[in-house]
């Protein structure tokens, strides 16, 4: 939801549409909520969710660590004031020369999910800490991460054993339960898998130390979501259940949950039309679409709340689309979106909960449209 600071900024500055406005106070509140919900876990903000320098600087000053996926993201975190030991290279898919560059920048914590990658890390980042990512089924997530990342627990045991043999520090296990994860229980089965890897390696004298419990913490879109505190409790209970009194070090990597509700996009209605005279369904075209930053509407997965100046009036379902000349640039059609009948061309709307996964998803210049502008206040 738009905060008063966002509304004041939009009213006084009248920035050109479309644009994103991010309220740093909300990011700070979210950071403290995660700290409170999981006081024993270190927070590694997933930089990809929103790498605006102001956000990274704020989080660095609050003591956050950073999960990065590329040299550019590592450099952004360093420039924001994070020291190398507060940065993990969490992408399981890295060029060997990028691992070398990261190592030269002082990064000593790397993600792997197969033999081939652990061999690369051993060559390019000698003696570094590695954690192995295990697969999860992604059930309960509105933006699941599927089988692209991670391996089965039995293979994680082999990978970490190999890490040890290659002179690396086999440090732990990671997983990601899928983004916008609505099931508190999702962490339970992933932690069971992580514990199985710990136990198998402990039996051969390899003592892992850390579980990276990933992201997945949701942002409120159209439906209520459980609070960070509820996730914290469920996760702590699952940790106790699987690890007993010997709790490992833990880290979490919130992305969406850290910045999603900290942003709103101001957009303008470019066109409202129908496909025939007796067509009930209106087509509403915004000045932002899939290529302007709303890529997470792919498969209509993420459904953003949209506030208009006519809220409270009578509504009817619309097909909502972006302004570009690509027919894929339709946001909601399978499940039409209810919008006020009073809406007219030129009206401004606010697309809420858009602080995460928007600016960086915007195309460079498809159809000549500029990347999404952001104002961080
Ligand atoms: C994207 C990503 C995250 C953040 O996920 P959210 O669901 O946005 O919290 C965390 N960890 C890794 C490894 C990621 O790739």
């Amino acid at each position: 939801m738009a905060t008063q600071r966002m509304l004041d900024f939009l009213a006084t500055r009248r920035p050109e549409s479309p644009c994103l406005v991010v309220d740093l106070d909300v990011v700070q509140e979210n950071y403290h909520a995660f700290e409170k919900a999981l006081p024993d876990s270190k927070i590694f903000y997933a930089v990809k969710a929103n790498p605006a320098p102001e956000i990274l600087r704020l989080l660095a000053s609050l003591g956050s660590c950073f999960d990065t996926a590329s040299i550019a993201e590592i450099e952004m975190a360093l420039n924001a004031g994070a020291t190398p030991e507060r940065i993990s290279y969490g992408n399981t898919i890295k060029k060997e020369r990028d691992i070398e560059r990261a190592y030269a920048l002082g990064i000593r914590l790397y993600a792997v999910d197969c033999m081939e990658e652990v061999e690369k890390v051993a060559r390019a980042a000698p003696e570094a800490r590695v954690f192995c990512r295990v697969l999860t089924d992604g059930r309960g997530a509105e933006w699941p991460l599927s089988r692209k990342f991670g391996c089965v627990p039995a293979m994680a045991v082999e990978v970490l054993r190999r890490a040890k043999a290659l002179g690396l520090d086999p440090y732990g296990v990671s997983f990601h339960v899928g983004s916008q994860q609505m099931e508190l229980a999702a962490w339970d089965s992933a932690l069971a898998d992580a514990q199985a890897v710990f136990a198998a390696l402990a039996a051969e004298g390899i003592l892992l130390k850390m579980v990276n419990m990933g992201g997945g913490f949701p942002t409120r879109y159209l439906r209520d979501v459980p609070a960070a505190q509820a996730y914290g409790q469920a996760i702590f209970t699952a940790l106790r259940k699987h690890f007993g009194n010997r709790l490992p070090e833990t880290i979490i990597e919130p992305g969406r949950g850290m910045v999603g509700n900290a942003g709103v996009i101001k957009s303008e209605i470019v066109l409202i039309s129908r496909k025939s005279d007796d067509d009930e369904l209106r087509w509403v075209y915004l000045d932002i679409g899939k290529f302007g930053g709303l890529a997470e509407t792919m498969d209509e997965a993420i459904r953003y709340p949209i506030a208009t100046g006519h809220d409270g009036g009578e509504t009817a379902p619309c097909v909502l689309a972006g302004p570009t000349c690509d027919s894929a640039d339709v946001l909601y059609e399978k499940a039409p979106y209810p919008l006020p009948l009073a809406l007219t061309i030129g009206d401004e709307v606010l697309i809420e909960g858009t602080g995460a996964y928007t600016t960086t998803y915007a195309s460079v210049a498809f159809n000549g449209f500029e990347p999404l502008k952001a104002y961080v206040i």
Side-chain angles (χ1 to χ4, degrees):
M1 316 313 100
T3 63
Q4 195 57 45
R5 289 186 72 219
M6 295 173 187
L7 296 174
D8 290 346
F9 175 86
L10 288 170
T12 54
R13 290 279 299 274
R14 312 254 359 115
E16 185 69 27
S17 165
C19 66
L20 170 72
V21 182
V22 175
D23 184 343
L24 286 176
D25 287 355
V26 180
V27 179
Q28 179 155 346
E29 278 166 30
N30 290 338
Y31 183 83
H32 289 313
F34 280 120
E35 259 186 339
K36 200 160 159 255
L38 285 156
D40 298 321
S41 297
K42 272 196 206 153
I43 299 171
F44 280 67
Y45 171 59
V47 171
K48 74 171 185 289
N50 191 328
E54 299 90 339
I55 294 175
L56 300 185
R57 278 199 298 270
L58 169 69
L59 290 172
S61 76
L62 294 172
S64 187
C65 301
F66 297 89
D67 167 53
T68 63
S70 63
I71 295 298
E73 284 190 351
I74 290 170
E75 285 172 341
M76 290 180 210
L78 289 170
N79 290 339
T83 46
E85 64 287 357
R86 284 163 67 186
I87 298 171
S88 89
Y89 198 165
N91 192 343
T92 51
I93 307 156
K94 304 173 285 299
K95 289 180 181 166
E96 190 162 331
R97 59 182 181 278
D98 285 340
I99 302 171
E100 273 167 28
R101 287 178 189 135
Y103 190 76
L105 291 169
I107 308 306
R108 295 292 181 270
L109 184 59
Y110 296 84
V112 296
D113 69 356
C114 62
M115 282 306 184
E116 294 76 2
E117 191 73 11
V118 86
E119 305 267 351
K120 281 192 226 166
V121 176
R123 285 190 297 267
E127 295 177 29
R129 291 173 168 173
V130 290
F131 54 90
C132 187
R133 181 155 168 182
V134 292
L135 280 166
T136 61
D137 61 18
R139 277 214 325 262
E142 297 191 351
W143 188 262
L145 301 171
S146 79
R147 291 176 56 80
K148 180 168 174 184
F149 312 102
C151 61
V152 298
M155 185 180 274
V157 172
E158 291 171 30
V159 167
L160 290 166
R161 186 188 292 137
R162 181 85 184 126
K164 172 88 177 175
L166 292 169
L168 293 165
D169 180 359
Y171 200 61
V173 175
S174 76
F175 55 79
H176 193 304
V177 294
S179 203
Q180 189 70 5
Q181 176 55 258
M182 303 294 280
E183 299 283 340
L184 299 177
W187 279 263
D188 184 75
S189 57
L191 283 167
D193 288 345
Q195 197 281 331
V197 177
F198 269 61
L201 287 165
E204 4 180 317
I206 299 176
L207 303 179
L208 302 179
K209 297 185 191 69
M210 184 273 290
V211 179
N212 175 347
M213 305 187 290
F217 307 95
T219 279
R220 187 187 191 287
Y221 296 111
L222 289 166
R223 287 183 291 132
D224 272 334
V225 298
Q229 199 63 32
Y231 284 86
Q233 245 147 37
I235 289 170
F236 188 74
T237 304
L239 272 168
R240 276 265 182 242
K241 173 173 149 197
H242 298 296
F243 287 90
N245 290 327
R246 307 182 55 187
L247 293 187
E249 289 171 31
T250 52
I251 72 181
I252 54 169
E253 301 176 324
R256 188 186 305 280
M258 189 73 84
V259 292
N261 66 340
V264 296
I265 286 172
K266 167 179 148 171
S267 171
E268 179 182 321
I269 294 174
V270 184
L271 183 65
I272 303 177
S273 62
R274 292 172 203 267
K275 297 297 164 190
S276 69
D277 287 339
D278 52 6
D279 196 353
E280 295 274 295
L281 203 61
R282 289 169 300 163
W283 280 67
V284 174
Y285 301 89
L286 301 174
D287 61 0
I288 183 171
K290 276 205 166 62
F291 301 100
L294 302 180
E296 284 201 313
T297 56
M298 239 185 281
D299 298 327
E300 311 195 11
I302 299 292
R303 227 168 145 79
Y304 295 106
I306 298 174
T308 78
H310 306 284
D311 289 352
E314 199 187 336
T315 67
C318 302
V319 177
L320 200 64
T324 68
C325 300
D326 190 315
S327 56
D329 191 10
V330 173
L331 305 179
Y332 306 116
E333 182 176 18
K334 275 183 292 177
Y337 201 102
L339 285 172
L341 286 166
L343 220 52
T344 55
I345 293 172
D347 280 354
E348 269 175 21
V349 300
L350 291 180
I351 309 173
E352 298 176 326
T354 41
Y357 303 120
T358 50
T359 50
T360 45
Y361 270 151
S363 73
V364 172
F366 182 51
N367 271 167
F369 291 107
E370 280 179 31
L372 181 60
K373 276 214 185 55
Y375 300 91
V376 182
I377 60 171

